[in-house]
Amino acid sequence: MNGTVLPGTPIAVDFWSVRRAGGARLFFLSHLHSDHTAGLSSTWSRPLYCSPLTARLLHRRLQVPTRWIRPLEVGQSHVVGEEVTVTLLDSNHCPGSVMFLFEGAFGTILYTGDFRYASAMQGEPALRGRHIDRLYLDNTHCHPHRPLPSRQHATRQAAHLIRAHPQHHVVIGVYSLGKETLLVDLALEFRTWVVVSPWRLEQMRLLELPDVFTTEEGAGWIRAVDVAEIRSDTLVSWNMLHPTIAIIPTGRPVKVTHPNIHLIPYSDHSSFSELCEFVKWLKPCSVIPIVRGSMCQAYFQKYLNSAPQALPDLRMPKPVKESGQQQSKRKGQEPMCLLKRVTRCSVPQGVVYESPEEHTENSEDFMDVKVPQQNDCESAFCSKEGCACYHTGKEKGKAELSGEQPGEARAASAVSWAPLSDERFLTGFAEQYLLTPLNVLKRNSSQKFDKLVEDFFRRGEAS
């Protein structure tokens, strides 16, 4: 599954296992390809954000209930969860596919999803001059020895191949979504209908594509089928009826099993040179590959921004003023181990989200979850599962933390303290820096860490 939960945020993109999503409360779908929807079905019961075109197809294709689908206009900024601003940008991959630009207390994150870079993206107002802390990059073709032509050039290759076989029918293997532009271009180039199945014709109409598709057999000599149908046995049977060639438009290696099967390097993913151009222009602080198992950061190290990136806030929880009754209860008790007294977990920068299970009956209630201004726990000290921290957020103003600005109240009485093991404390501490590039850590983390430890022990001695 090509999806992830973004560390230090309440955001999950193309990730549909609520059980494994940890503290994620905001779910985003980049596009409708099956490797990005694994686990998403009619049983989904959380608000889901996507583009309007993807929203149109989502219910029809996967039967996701419409009351959970939240279409967001592309090119506009939207505030979701009251703490995250997101802007959807066309990713130039397949119909409805988008990139997500997230902004919040965690900094600025660009999640490309699957995308094909084009120089026109530099004209996006939301990206021009934008400081990007983390770039989650589609690294499908992130290899210098795997060059790809532009899609326009690949289309010309396909047209040349078809002209070289004037007496042949043409079958083009495509996925359930994608390569529609290639089909339209070839239909217009050769002035023929493209024959498709009834369900694909319905989808083409939903996508509002030019009227070049039909279900009538024999109406045109170019046909689009599922790529799985392009096999040696099907080519044999098709050629028994009429001379036929098959075209598979793909940028990936494919084993050819018949002399009449032809590969065209037409890809909806960025080439290596395009990835380099994109990162060089964007100058993010760090690059994180979306496709696991392919570490490509070294190729982009020279293009990274040297400015410090936004890091999750690792400050210790400020001490809560106790009532006289609470203080009397503590008298005579042995002091707890210093490490075990740090027990609060959180989303960075004070974002505390209510449990979505309380809002499954009313989708609007879930959309309007109220979020306190300050946090009652620190995510560096929270395990992803079985967190010992509880938030009710209902008794506002009963206790204030020392050093707060006027008017900022915290529901301190809603925090339940419980000991954490030293191992969990240190593991959570390290997780916040897991995705931070070494050049950034060397510049700003050393002093911050030393000061953090010094303040931590000073506060422990004072208490």
Side-chain angles (χ1 to χ4, degrees):
M1 177 174 64
N2 287 330
T4 189
V5 176
L6 308 190
T9 78
I11 298 166
V13 183
D14 299 339
F15 191 94
W16 311 110
S17 173
V18 175
R19 181 179 58 83
R20 297 190 294 116
R25 294 294 181 271
L26 303 173
F27 293 86
F28 295 84
L29 174 62
S30 65
H31 64 292
L32 212 56
H33 279 163
S34 59
D35 55 332
H36 294 258
T37 60
L40 185 58
S41 67
S42 59
T43 62
W44 184 258
S45 59
R46 300 287 191 282
L48 179 161
Y49 303 95
C50 61
S51 70
L53 190 51
T54 297
R56 229 186 295 169
L57 298 172
L58 184 57
H59 175 68
R60 187 178 298 268
R61 291 269 297 273
L62 299 180
Q63 289 77 52
V64 174
T66 55
R67 68 192 184 107
W68 298 119
I69 302 174
R70 306 282 194 272
L72 301 176
E73 288 299 325
V74 178
Q76 299 181 13
S77 295
H78 310 268
V79 177
V80 294
E82 299 187 3
E83 292 290 336
V84 175
T85 299
V86 60
T87 306
L88 278 62
L89 305 169
D90 187 351
S91 72
N92 194 33
H93 175 67
C94 71
S97 64
V98 292
M99 301 184 284
F100 296 109
L101 180 67
F102 298 110
E103 300 170 87
F106 46 78
T108 303
I109 299 173
L110 178 63
Y111 192 100
T112 67
D114 287 352
F115 89 123
R116 182 82 196 247
Y117 170 73
S119 57
M121 290 179 179
Q122 296 189 20
E124 285 285 356
L127 294 180
R128 281 203 304 264
R130 182 61 61 99
H131 174 89
I132 303 295
D133 293 298
R134 283 182 270 172
L135 170 63
Y136 284 81
L137 185 66
D138 172 17
N139 56 313
T140 300
H141 297 308
C142 187
H143 198 289
H145 302 302
R146 194 183 297 169
L148 283 171
S150 67
R151 285 185 293 198
Q152 292 76 15
H153 184 74
T155 300
R156 290 195 293 271
Q157 288 186 38
H160 177 75
L161 176 65
I162 292 172
R163 288 194 183 93
H165 297 80
Q167 305 303 319
H168 287 66
H169 286 180
V170 178
V171 179
I172 301 178
V174 293
Y175 294 111
S176 59
L177 186 66
K179 309 292 194 301
E180 289 83 5
T181 301
L182 172 64
L183 298 177
V184 171
D185 289 344
L186 292 178
L188 297 177
E189 173 81 14
F190 294 101
R191 298 184 179 182
T192 180
W193 291 96
V194 176
V195 181
V196 296
S197 63
W199 78 262
R200 195 181 291 273
L201 178 62
E202 180 187 11
Q203 178 168 283
M204 298 301 189
R205 289 172 176 169
L206 279 174
L207 298 177
E208 298 179 350
L209 293 172
D211 186 19
V212 298
F213 301 98
T214 181
T215 58
E216 184 181 347
E217 290 291 339
W221 49 273
I222 295 180
R223 184 153 49 104
V225 302
D226 189 275
V227 68
E229 292 186 45
I230 308 296
R231 305 184 306 272
S232 178
D233 58 327
T234 54
L235 260 295
V236 170
S237 61
W238 291 334
N239 275 278
M240 291 176 64
L241 299 175
H242 194 280
T244 302
I245 62 170
I247 295 176
I248 300 179
T250 180
R252 298 176 179 176
V254 175
K255 183 179 180 181
V256 175
T257 58
H258 191 281
N260 280 9
I261 297 177
H262 302 270
L263 303 182
I264 295 296
Y266 185 105
S267 179
D268 289 324
H269 298 269
S270 302
S271 66
F272 178 76
S273 61
E274 289 167 345
L275 292 176
C276 290
E277 182 181 345
F278 180 63
V279 177
K280 183 179 181 180
W281 166 69
L282 200 61
K283 292 182 174 64
C285 293
S286 63
V287 173
I288 303 163
I290 291 178
V291 181
R292 297 173 180 85
S294 175
M295 305 304 292
C296 63
Q297 292 96 323
Y299 296 124
F300 309 117
Q301 192 68 30
K302 59 185 176 182
Y303 304 130
L304 298 184
N305 193 333
S306 58
Q309 67 169 306
L311 295 174
D313 188 1
L314 295 181
R315 290 174 299 177
M316 300 298 148
K318 297 178 181 179
V320 179
K321 295 179 181 179
E322 295 182 334
S323 65
Q325 183 179 4
Q326 289 173 319
Q327 291 176 358
S328 63
K329 287 183 179 180
R330 289 186 56 205
K331 288 181 180 180
Q333 291 182 354
E334 291 294 327
M336 296 175 64
C337 170
L338 185 60
L339 289 177
K340 292 186 177 181
R341 282 165 50 193
V342 184
T343 62
R344 304 195 229 182
C345 83
S346 78
V347 180
Q349 301 291 343
V351 185
V352 181
Y353 290 85
E354 296 182 29
S355 170
E357 283 76 8
E358 299 176 6
H359 303 275
T360 54
E361 295 302 320
N362 190 328
S363 59
E364 295 304 319
D365 289 346
F366 187 91
M367 281 290 292
D368 299 326
V369 172
K370 300 300 179 183
V371 186
Q373 292 275 332
Q374 300 291 326
N375 66 314
D376 286 318
C377 57
E378 294 292 335
S379 61
F381 316 114
C382 173
S383 63
K384 288 183 170 59
E385 294 183 6
C387 172
C389 307
Y390 304 89
H391 306 275
T392 62
K394 297 178 181 178
E395 301 182 26
K396 296 181 179 179
K398 285 190 177 180
E400 295 184 358
L401 297 185
S402 60
E404 280 188 333
Q405 296 298 321
E408 293 182 341
R410 302 182 67 176
S413 61
V415 180
S416 174
W417 291 80
L420 278 179
S421 68
D422 295 358
E423 181 181 356
R424 282 170 60 190
F425 168 81
L426 296 173
T427 300
F429 201 98
E431 282 180 349
Q432 300 300 321
Y433 287 89
L434 184 60
L435 298 177
T436 305
L438 289 177
N439 62 328
V440 176
L441 285 175
K442 289 177 180 177
R443 279 193 310 275
N444 65 6
S445 290
S446 178
Q447 293 180 352
K448 183 172 182 179
F449 183 86
D450 291 343
K451 186 177 184 304
L452 177 65
V453 173
E454 180 182 347
D455 293 345
F456 179 83
F457 285 102
R458 185 186 301 120
R459 185 172 296 110
E461 293 171 357
S463 61

